[in-house]
Amino acid sequence: MYSVLLSVLIVLSVLLIIVVAMQPSKTNAASSLSGGAEQLFGKQKARGFESFLIRLTVVLGTIFLVLTLALEYLINH
C-alpha cells in the first residue's frame, strides 16, 4: 500500500510541476512603470484554458496534500 501511494505521489508531483509551469505569467513589464494601478483596477477573471489550468492546479494540489497526509499516517502506524 505504501509503495503504491508513493508511486502515485511521485507521478502527481511531476504533473503538478508541469501544470504550474504551463500557466501564463501574471507579471507585466509595463505595470512597474504605471505604479500597479492596472493590477488594482484591471482584475479580470481567467477564461478558457487559463481557468482550466487554475482549477487543475487546485485539484492536483489538494490530492497531493491528502496523499502526503495518508503516507505520513501509514509511516507512523
Side-chain angles (χ1 to χ4, degrees):
M1 180 75 168
Y2 174 78
S3 60
V4 172
L5 285 178
L6 186 62
S7 300
V8 171
L9 188 68
I10 291 171
V11 170
L12 186 66
S13 63
V14 170
L15 286 174
L16 192 57
I17 290 170
I18 291 170
V19 169
V20 169
M22 287 177 57
Q23 291 183 357
S25 174
K26 302 246 187 229
T27 60
N28 191 357
S31 68
S32 62
L33 299 175
S34 66
E38 182 180 324
Q39 289 179 345
L40 179 63
F41 300 112
K43 293 276 187 187
Q44 292 182 355
K45 294 181 100 175
R47 299 185 188 265
F49 188 64
E50 185 177 349
S51 174
F52 172 73
L53 286 178
I54 292 170
R55 288 181 184 168
L56 185 61
T57 303
V58 169
V59 168
L60 289 177
T62 304
I63 295 171
F64 182 84
L65 178 68
V66 169
L67 279 177
T68 304
L69 292 174
L71 280 172
E72 183 65 27
Y73 180 79
L74 284 176
I75 288 172
N76 290 326
H77 288 93

